[in-house]
Amino acid sequence: MDWLIAGLGNPGSDYTKTRHNAGFCFVQELALRQHASWRLEKAWKTELARIEVDGNDVLLLQPQDFMNRSGAPVQAAAAFYKIPPARILVVHDDLDLPVGVARFKWSGGHGGHNGLRDLDRALGTRDYWRLRIGIGHPGHRDRVVNYVLARPGAMEEREIHAAIDRSLGVLDDFLAGRQEAAMKTLHSE
């Protein structure tokens, strides 16, 4: 296995189209485009799909526990498939980016994101790739929980999906080791 791409979100129909599930949306769209099917791995509390992207064998993962417990499923799959943290791409919603903006990032802090906080703890490092999908900010920290757990309006939803689509458009370069080229293209849009 060459890469692990983990989309972060909350399981269950109540959360399906919420802002917090932008990571799930990314991996689901990637699996759909690759005609991959998901299977539940109960022992790791995750759904998995395997795809091939430009010669790279890629494991897609959707943790099936809540966002703040995303780390254990990612760590378990990475350990089993012997995928080092440097070959993990975590896709997540980001309050600090405007709606519809997507950015790759290597390493760094969790920025208050509970899924990343748990991943840092489970992996024992912050040195993994992130793909940040901008969902905007509600304006005040007291509104954050309700905001991320709500469904975006129709225009915001289109912009989030457009960011996901642009990100998928540079994924071949990213996975082939051309991260700088992928970042330059995505970050200039």
Side-chain angles (χ1 to χ4, degrees), residues 18-20 95 99 135-138 143-151 156:
T18 64
R19 291 177 180 94
H20 220 19
L95 288 162
V99 175
I135 61 168
H137 198 284
R143 297 186 193 133
V144 166
V145 172
N146 288 336
Y147 180 78
V148 299
L149 296 178
R151 186 173 177 168
E156 286 181 4

Side-chain angles (χ1 to χ4, degrees), residues 13-178:
S13 59
D14 290 347
Y15 302 102
T16 300
K17 296 194 179 224
T18 64
R19 291 177 180 94
H20 220 19
N21 278 29
F24 274 12
C25 290
F26 179 91
V27 293
Q28 288 167 357
E29 181 63 24
L30 180 54
L32 184 67
R33 291 181 184 194
Q34 295 283 329
H35 309 287
S37 55
W38 294 95
R39 69 176 173 83
L40 180 63
E41 179 58 59
K42 288 183 183 178
W44 300 340
K45 291 186 177 180
T46 192
E47 288 188 343
L48 303 172
R50 289 180 72 165
I51 62 170
E52 187 270 325
V53 177
D54 197 29
N56 287 286
D57 195 12
V58 179
L59 182 68
L60 303 180
L61 190 143
Q62 295 182 99
Q64 294 300 293
D65 209 338
F66 288 99
M67 180 72 80
N68 62 345
R69 294 192 295 257
S70 299
V74 174
Q75 188 279 328
F80 182 82
Y81 287 101
K82 297 178 176 52
I83 302 169
R87 301 288 269 177
I88 296 173
L89 174 63
V90 177
V91 186
H92 63 91
D93 61 299
D94 196 304
L95 288 162
D96 294 329
L97 291 178
V99 175
V101 171
R103 297 287 183 260
F104 286 109
K105 181 180 178 184
W106 166 252
S107 193
H110 55 70
H113 194 287
N114 290 329
L116 294 179
R117 181 181 282 124
D118 196 57
L119 273 159
D120 293 351
R121 183 197 53 72
L123 294 174
T125 184
R126 294 178 176 180
D127 294 339
Y128 55 89
W129 284 97
R130 301 102 192 277
L131 175 58
R132 305 161 56 212
I133 306 294
I135 61 168
H137 198 284
H140 193 276
R141 67 181 182 175
D142 292 343
R143 297 186 193 133
V144 166
V145 172
N146 288 336
Y147 180 78
V148 299
L149 296 178
R151 186 173 177 168
M155 183 179 293
E156 286 181 4
E157 189 170 0
R158 281 193 298 275
E159 290 177 18
I160 290 168
H161 285 285
I164 289 170
D165 190 56
R166 288 191 307 275
S167 302
L168 289 168
V170 299
L171 191 62
D172 285 7
D173 273 344
F174 181 89
L175 297 177
R178 297 184 295 273

